[in-house]
């Protein structure tokens, strides 16, 4: 069912990862991604994996939810694996048939690529699972703050992002409802030729768009009623403040990145 | 008469095997005779909507059976699809499902999916529009130009046009003004009488269900806790109140009268109230 989509869903909790400042988590995620692309060997991948595994364990978010979130990526993962297995030049030929060869180098490379994508996505999920959308956009706004000097509408951008994130579950629920209602009127999504299936989407998409516009309109009115005028002169109820925990997390993050860089310089 | 619909030991669990696991229906059993008007009451989250979506095969039972004319609707694919058409389901705020360019096309959507002939579709659209009080000249208007109450009528007509033997409605009058509410309820009752259809209606308005229905089912915490005539159910007024449900205004007044020491029977309709009060004065009533 559509409800099972967990993309970007927040799991409330009180773990150390939950309590970190959103800015800390965002910056560490960026460091983590850089490190992931710098990792070239089993050793450095091991370091990264350890970092991720410990973070996930601390967060207390059930592993199942990560697996569920990764499901939609299955196609990309398989595709990447096949590309890497068959199109990597190598010397140690393992199997050869019909003009295609599988080399040891290809397998290793495919494994690394898969691990990289999986770890990339899992890391990002960890951020969205442990950070509420509001905290996330607050953090982003604060991190991008300096760009205001360049006249970039940072507050407006983060508000837009916040609203978009907020409405994902609402729209999923709405889609679910509309689908049930149209099914009750005899729409068949599961069978028929491609064109029929595409046409079966119209009764879903039209009401969905109309309701999205209606919601946007209502939200805009509600915001104006509360005198929302964008970021100028707006203060925050919850000020972001770094705590000891954040500095520790920064420390761990920087050490991990440095470790991977050092390992890389040794060719590991 | 043989029951048209039977529900046997129906249970449904959402998101089995996840932390969000939640039992929405727990061992629900009942059967429905043709032509009945049944009210379903229960507070939010008591399992009413889940139950409704089982009756036309939108949701599959975790355990238990739904029999239509004695046949399990999940026993074969054809029967499941038939159940979609024989049991018409009107969701809450059905106007949000409108999508066609004209009212006519939107009402015709269901019958079209049933694969009926053009003439038959035309007949059904006009009849359904008439049932809900949508004028013939409104059929060529865009449904999005109508008022909220009119949209609701069109959406209900969209289901009625499929001529379901069992019509299930989830709070069909939510958010309408009193005149609109009354009108829609009367239209539904007229459909039931003329087509000899069964109607099941979820409602939070105890006054409406007390007046219209012949049978009430009360859901609480995923269970069917009461099933009987309005009289039987409202005799348990205290239990209903404890479940967080309302009781008809008249029943409430008469409960208070009884507390004040008046010898009145529990009532739920105006007719009964008048009888009970005239009885009190020894038939000597000048009202």
């Amino acid at each position: 069912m559509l409800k099972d989509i967990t993309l970007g869903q927040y799991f409330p909790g009180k773990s150390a990862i939950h309590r970190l400042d959103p800015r800390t988590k965002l910056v560490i995620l960026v460091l983590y991604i850089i490190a992931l692309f710098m990792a070239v060997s089993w050793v450095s991948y091991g370091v990264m994996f350890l970092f991720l595994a410990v973070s996930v364990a601390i967060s207390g978010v059930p592993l199942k939810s990560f697996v569920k979130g990764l499901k939609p990526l299955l196609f990309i993962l398989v595709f990447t694996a096949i590309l890497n297995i068959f199109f990597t030049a190598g010397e140690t030929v393992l199997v050869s048939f019909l003009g295609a060869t599988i080399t040891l180098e290809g397998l290793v490379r495919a494994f690394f690529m898969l691990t990289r994508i999986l770890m990339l996505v899992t890391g990002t999920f960890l951020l969205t699972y442990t950070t509420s959308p509001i905290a996330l956009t607050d953090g982003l706004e604060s991190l991008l703050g300096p760009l205001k000097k360049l006249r970039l509408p940072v507050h407006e951008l983060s508000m837009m992002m916040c609203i978009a994130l907020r409405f994902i579950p609402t729209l999923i629920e709405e889609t679910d409802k509309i689908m049930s209602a149209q099914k009750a009127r005899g729409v068949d999504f599961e069978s028929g030729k491609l064109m029929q299936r595409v046409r079966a989407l119209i009764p879903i998409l039209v009401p969905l768009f109309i309701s999205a516009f209606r919601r946007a309109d209502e939200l805009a009115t509600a915001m104006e009623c509360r005198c929302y005028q964008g970021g100028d002169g707006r203060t925050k109820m919850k000020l972001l403040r770094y705590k000891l925990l954040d500095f520790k997390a920064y420390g761990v993050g920087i050490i991990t990145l440095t470790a991977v860089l050092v390992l890389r310089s040794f060719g590991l | 008469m043989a029951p048209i619909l039977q529900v046997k030991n129906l249970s449904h669990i959402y998101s089995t095997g996840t932390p969000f696991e939640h039992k929405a229906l727990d061992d629900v059993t009942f059967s429905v005779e043709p032509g009945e008007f049944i009210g379903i009451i229960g507070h939010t989250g008591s399992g009413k909507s889940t139950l409704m979506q089982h009756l036309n095969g939108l949701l599959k039972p975790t355990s238990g059976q739904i029999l239509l004319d004695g046949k399990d609707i999940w026993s074969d694919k054809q029967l499941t699809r038939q159940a979609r058409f024989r049991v018409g389901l009107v969701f809450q705020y059905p106007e949000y499902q409108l999508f066609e360019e004209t009212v006519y096309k939107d009402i015709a959507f269901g019958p079209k999916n049933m694969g009926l002939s053009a003439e038959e579709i035309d007949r059904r659209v006009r009849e359904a529009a008439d049932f809900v009080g949508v004028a013939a000249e409104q059929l060529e208007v865009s449904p999005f130009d109508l008022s909220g109450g009119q949209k609701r009528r069109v959406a209900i007509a969209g289901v009625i046009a499929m001529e379901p033997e069992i019509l299930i409605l989830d709070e069909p009058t939510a958010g309408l003004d009193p005149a609109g509410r009354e009108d829609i309820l009367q239209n539904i009752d007229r459909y039931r009488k003329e087509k000899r259809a069964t109607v099941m209606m979820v409602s939070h308005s105890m006054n409406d269900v007390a007046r219209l229905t012949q049978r009430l089912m009360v859901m609480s915490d995923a269970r069917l806790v009461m099933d009987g005539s309005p009289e039987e159910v409202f005799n348990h007024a205290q239990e209903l109140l404890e479940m967080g449900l309302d009781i008809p205004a008249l029943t409430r007044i008469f409960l208070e009268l009884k507390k004040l020491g008046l010898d009145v029977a529990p009532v739920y309709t105006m007719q009964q109230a008048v009888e009970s009060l005239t009885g009190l004065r020894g038939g000597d009533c000048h009202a």
Side-chain angles (χ1 to χ4, degrees), chain A residues 64 181-182 185 187 207 210 214, chain B residues 17 96-97 106 109 113 144:
Chain A
K64 254 188 212 157
Q182 305 297 28
R185 295 211 279 167
V187 179
I210 289 172
R214 195 190 64 240
Chain B
Y96 293 152
Q97 78 198 24
D106 208 286
F109 182 65
N113 285 328
F144 301 108

Side-chain angles (χ1 to χ4, degrees), chain A residues 5-265:
Chain A
I5 297 176
T6 47
L7 188 85
Q9 203 180 53
Y10 171 55
F11 280 80
K14 287 200 164 70
S15 76
I17 306 270
H18 282 87
R19 279 182 285 128
L20 280 178
D21 189 291
R23 289 172 296 180
T24 315
K25 283 188 263 192
L26 276 165
V27 172
I28 292 180
L29 181 69
V30 173
L31 295 183
Y32 169 81
I33 292 172
I34 295 173
L36 208 50
F37 280 94
M38 292 293 166
V40 281
S41 67
W42 295 94
V43 184
S44 41
Y45 266 100
V47 172
M48 293 307 297
F49 184 77
L50 191 71
F51 176 77
L52 181 65
V54 170
S55 311
V56 169
I58 294 175
S59 76
V61 177
L63 273 178
K64 254 188 212 157
S65 12
F66 287 99
V67 175
K68 227 189 208 170
L70 287 169
K71 259 186 204 157
L73 289 175
L74 199 65
F75 176 73
I76 300 177
L77 292 175
V78 171
F79 190 68
T80 317
I82 290 175
L83 272 189
N84 278 291
I85 288 174
F86 286 105
F87 294 96
T88 307
E91 282 137 29
T92 342
V93 176
L94 294 176
V95 195
S96 182
F97 62 94
L98 298 172
T101 51
I102 297 178
T103 63
L104 182 66
E105 288 79 0
L107 278 182
V108 170
R109 209 186 144 112
F111 176 78
F112 277 144
M113 275 314 276
L114 279 194
T115 319
R116 184 176 284 171
I117 298 177
L118 282 174
M119 285 170 65
L120 192 74
V121 179
T122 311
T124 319
F125 274 163
L126 186 62
L127 174 73
T128 53
Y129 281 163
T130 59
T131 319
S132 73
I134 294 176
L136 201 62
T137 44
D138 259 4
L140 204 65
E141 185 179 347
S142 159
L143 283 175
L144 295 178
L147 293 178
K148 272 185 202 156
K149 299 236 164 63
L150 299 173
R151 297 190 165 237
L152 214 73
V154 174
H155 169 79
E156 281 71 13
L157 284 175
S158 72
M159 179 58 91
M160 275 156 66
M161 201 178 103
C162 184
I163 292 171
L165 283 174
R166 156 68 185 77
F167 275 95
I168 291 175
T170 312
L171 286 179
I172 289 177
E173 204 175 292
E174 186 109 353
T175 314
D176 222 23
K177 242 190 236 164
I178 296 173
M179 274 177 81
S180 300
Q182 305 297 28
K183 268 193 210 160
R185 295 211 279 167
V187 179
D188 193 358
F189 301 111
E190 279 99 33
S191 58
K193 295 201 188 80
L194 183 67
M195 268 319 280
Q196 277 172 312
R197 285 194 199 201
V198 172
R199 215 171 296 146
L201 288 178
I202 295 173
I204 311 291
L205 291 179
V206 173
L208 194 62
F209 269 94
I210 289 172
S211 103
F213 281 118
R214 195 190 64 240
R215 275 179 205 283
D217 224 31
E218 280 169 6
L219 184 69
T221 313
M223 284 168 82
E224 269 183 11
C225 285
R226 296 187 203 175
C227 304
Y228 177 76
Q229 302 174 319
D232 294 335
R234 198 174 165 81
T235 55
K236 296 226 180 282
M237 190 168 96
K238 283 185 186 164
L239 281 176
L240 294 176
R241 268 202 202 95
Y242 282 127
K243 282 171 292 210
L244 185 61
L245 189 65
D246 294 296
F247 295 116
K248 284 182 188 164
Y250 269 124
V252 176
I254 291 168
I255 289 170
T256 312
L257 177 63
T258 323
V260 170
L261 289 178
V262 170
L263 284 169
R264 189 185 163 90
S265 70

